[in-house]
PDB file of all heavy atoms in Angstrom:
ATOM      1  N   ALA B 167      -3.237   9.022 -18.125  1.00 90.00           N
ATOM      2  CA  ALA B 167      -3.688   8.210 -17.050  1.00 90.00           C
ATOM      3  C   ALA B 167      -4.221   9.094 -15.933  1.00 90.00           C
ATOM      4  O   ALA B 167      -3.645  10.159 -15.630  1.00 90.00           O
ATOM      5  CB  ALA B 167      -2.598   7.336 -16.533  1.00 90.00           C
ATOM      6  N   ALA B 168      -5.335   8.723 -15.342  1.00 93.00           N
ATOM      7  CA  ALA B 168      -5.910   9.392 -14.134  1.00 93.00           C
ATOM      8  C   ALA B 168      -5.599   8.699 -12.917  1.00 93.00           C
ATOM      9  O   ALA B 168      -5.537   7.452 -12.905  1.00 93.00           O
ATOM     10  CB  ALA B 168      -7.394   9.559 -14.365  1.00 93.00           C
ATOM     11  N   PHE B 169      -5.422   9.390 -11.830  1.00 94.00           N
ATOM     12  CA  PHE B 169      -5.123   8.771 -10.562  1.00 94.00           C
ATOM     13  C   PHE B 169      -5.841   9.516  -9.475  1.00 94.00           C
ATOM     14  O   PHE B 169      -5.894  10.748  -9.412  1.00 94.00           O
ATOM     15  CB  PHE B 169      -3.574   8.836 -10.332  1.00 94.00           C
ATOM     16  CG  PHE B 169      -3.129   8.266  -9.038  1.00 94.00           C
ATOM     17  CD1 PHE B 169      -3.245   6.907  -8.772  1.00 94.00           C
ATOM     18  CD2 PHE B 169      -2.543   9.090  -8.098  1.00 94.00           C
ATOM     19  CE1 PHE B 169      -2.796   6.381  -7.534  1.00 94.00           C
ATOM     20  CE2 PHE B 169      -2.088   8.596  -6.874  1.00 94.00           C
ATOM     21  CZ  PHE B 169      -2.235   7.209  -6.627  1.00 94.00           C
ATOM     22  N   THR B 170      -6.438   8.793  -8.545  1.00 94.00           N
ATOM     23  CA  THR B 170      -7.086   9.426  -7.386  1.00 94.00           C
ATOM     24  C   THR B 170      -6.085   9.348  -6.238  1.00 94.00           C
ATOM     25  O   THR B 170      -5.715   8.250  -5.765  1.00 94.00           O
ATOM     26  CB  THR B 170      -8.373   8.689  -6.963  1.00 94.00           C
ATOM     27  OG1 THR B 170      -9.160   8.702  -8.142  1.00 94.00           O
ATOM     28  CG2 THR B 170      -9.091   9.479  -5.871  1.00 94.00           C
ATOM     29  N   PRO B 171      -5.507  10.480  -5.819  1.00 95.00           N
ATOM     30  CA  PRO B 171      -4.438  10.439  -4.835  1.00 95.00           C
ATOM     31  C   PRO B 171      -4.913  10.047  -3.388  1.00 95.00           C
ATOM     32  O   PRO B 171      -6.104  10.260  -3.013  1.00 95.00           O
ATOM     33  CB  PRO B 171      -3.914  11.888  -4.839  1.00 95.00           C
ATOM     34  CG  PRO B 171      -5.004  12.733  -5.321  1.00 95.00           C
ATOM     35  CD  PRO B 171      -5.855  11.844  -6.231  1.00 95.00           C
ATOM     36  N   THR B 172      -4.033   9.529  -2.666  1.00 94.00           N
ATOM     37  CA  THR B 172      -4.177   9.237  -1.237  1.00 94.00           C
ATOM     38  C   THR B 172      -3.582  10.411  -0.442  1.00 94.00           C
ATOM     39  O   THR B 172      -2.502  10.847  -0.834  1.00 94.00           O
ATOM     40  CB  THR B 172      -3.464   7.957  -0.836  1.00 94.00           C
ATOM     41  OG1 THR B 172      -3.561   7.013  -1.878  1.00 94.00           O
ATOM     42  CG2 THR B 172      -4.000   7.341   0.467  1.00 94.00           C
ATOM     43  N   PRO B 173      -4.245  10.926   0.570  1.00 95.00           N
ATOM     44  CA  PRO B 173      -3.626  12.048   1.276  1.00 95.00           C
ATOM     45  C   PRO B 173      -2.284  11.761   1.936  1.00 95.00           C
ATOM     46  O   PRO B 173      -2.025  10.617   2.327  1.00 95.00           O
ATOM     47  CB  PRO B 173      -4.673  12.360   2.381  1.00 95.00           C
ATOM     48  CG  PRO B 173      -5.911  11.606   1.989  1.00 95.00           C
ATOM     49  CD  PRO B 173      -5.538  10.471   1.094  1.00 95.00           C
ATOM     50  N   ASP B 174      -1.485  12.808   2.042  1.00 95.00           N
ATOM     51  CA  ASP B 174      -0.253  12.816   2.832  1.00 95.00           C
ATOM     52  C   ASP B 174       0.740  11.693   2.345  1.00 95.00           C
ATOM     53  O   ASP B 174       1.312  11.038   3.172  1.00 95.00           O
ATOM     54  CB  ASP B 174      -0.587  12.654   4.358  1.00 95.00           C
ATOM     55  CG  ASP B 174       0.545  13.269   5.154  1.00 95.00           C
ATOM     56  OD1 ASP B 174       1.469  13.883   4.601  1.00 95.00           O
ATOM     57  OD2 ASP B 174       0.434  13.203   6.421  1.00 95.00           O
ATOM     58  N   TYR B 175       0.880  11.523   1.078  1.00 96.00           N
ATOM     59  CA  TYR B 175       1.819  10.617   0.558  1.00 96.00           C
ATOM     60  C   TYR B 175       2.540  11.313  -0.664  1.00 96.00           C
ATOM     61  O   TYR B 175       1.859  11.654  -1.583  1.00 96.00           O
ATOM     62  CB  TYR B 175       1.229   9.290   0.099  1.00 96.00           C
ATOM     63  CG  TYR B 175       2.240   8.143  -0.060  1.00 96.00           C
ATOM     64  CD1 TYR B 175       2.678   7.474   1.103  1.00 96.00           C
ATOM     65  CD2 TYR B 175       2.766   7.847  -1.280  1.00 96.00           C
ATOM     66  CE1 TYR B 175       3.636   6.474   0.958  1.00 96.00           C
ATOM     67  CE2 TYR B 175       3.777   6.885  -1.384  1.00 96.00           C
ATOM     68  CZ  TYR B 175       4.162   6.190  -0.254  1.00 96.00           C
ATOM     69  OH  TYR B 175       5.152   5.229  -0.369  1.00 96.00           O
ATOM     70  N   ALA B 176       3.865  11.485  -0.553  1.00 96.00           N
ATOM     71  CA  ALA B 176       4.591  12.194  -1.580  1.00 96.00           C
ATOM     72  C   ALA B 176       4.655  11.405  -2.867  1.00 96.00           C
ATOM     73  O   ALA B 176       5.121  10.247  -2.902  1.00 96.00           O
ATOM     74  CB  ALA B 176       5.953  12.520  -1.122  1.00 96.00           C
ATOM     75  N   ILE B 177       4.167  12.023  -3.966  1.00 97.00           N
ATOM     76  CA  ILE B 177       4.186  11.350  -5.276  1.00 97.00           C
ATOM     77  C   ILE B 177       5.274  11.972  -6.119  1.00 97.00           C
ATOM     78  O   ILE B 177       5.255  13.180  -6.429  1.00 97.00           O
ATOM     79  CB  ILE B 177       2.817  11.507  -5.941  1.00 97.00           C
ATOM     80  CG1 ILE B 177       1.699  10.909  -5.083  1.00 97.00           C
ATOM     81  CG2 ILE B 177       2.828  10.891  -7.382  1.00 97.00           C
ATOM     82  CD1 ILE B 177       0.302  11.213  -5.567  1.00 97.00           C
ATOM     83  N   PRO B 178       6.262  11.174  -6.550  1.00 95.00           N
ATOM     84  CA  PRO B 178       7.306  11.810  -7.427  1.00 95.00           C
ATOM     85  C   PRO B 178       6.737  12.025  -8.830  1.00 95.00           C
ATOM     86  O   PRO B 178       6.056  11.120  -9.384  1.00 95.00           O
ATOM     87  CB  PRO B 178       8.399  10.700  -7.426  1.00 95.00           C
ATOM     88  CG  PRO B 178       7.830   9.465  -6.858  1.00 95.00           C
ATOM     89  CD  PRO B 178       6.511   9.792  -6.305  1.00 95.00           C
ATOM     90  N   LEU B 179       6.918  13.269  -9.347  1.00 94.00           N
ATOM     91  CA  LEU B 179       6.404  13.519 -10.675  1.00 94.00           C
ATOM     92  C   LEU B 179       7.552  13.353 -11.675  1.00 94.00           C
ATOM     93  O   LEU B 179       8.409  14.269 -11.802  1.00 94.00           O
ATOM     94  CB  LEU B 179       5.805  14.947 -10.718  1.00 94.00           C
ATOM     95  CG  LEU B 179       4.709  15.308  -9.713  1.00 94.00           C
ATOM     96  CD1 LEU B 179       4.142  16.683  -9.980  1.00 94.00           C
ATOM     97  CD2 LEU B 179       3.606  14.247  -9.752  1.00 94.00           C
ATOM     98  N   SER B 180       7.583  12.248 -12.346  1.00 90.00           N
ATOM     99  CA  SER B 180       8.647  11.950 -13.287  1.00 90.00           C
ATOM    100  C   SER B 180       8.811  13.082 -14.287  1.00 90.00           C
ATOM    101  O   SER B 180       7.886  13.599 -14.829  1.00 90.00           O
ATOM    102  CB  SER B 180       8.304  10.698 -14.014  1.00 90.00           C
ATOM    103  OG  SER B 180       9.057  10.503 -15.228  1.00 90.00           O
ATOM    104  N   SER B 181      10.085  13.464 -14.531  1.00 88.00           N
ATOM    105  CA  SER B 181      10.420  14.595 -15.500  1.00 88.00           C
ATOM    106  C   SER B 181      10.102  14.149 -16.900  1.00 88.00           C
ATOM    107  O   SER B 181      10.154  15.015 -17.826  1.00 88.00           O
ATOM    108  CB  SER B 181      11.864  14.991 -15.280  1.00 88.00           C
ATOM    109  OG  SER B 181      12.629  13.909 -15.681  1.00 88.00           O
TER     110      SER B 181
END
Side-chain angles (χ1 to χ4, degrees):
Chain B
F169 177 67
T170 306
T172 321
D174 207 2
Y175 197 83
I177 301 168
L179 303 185
S180 161
S181 61

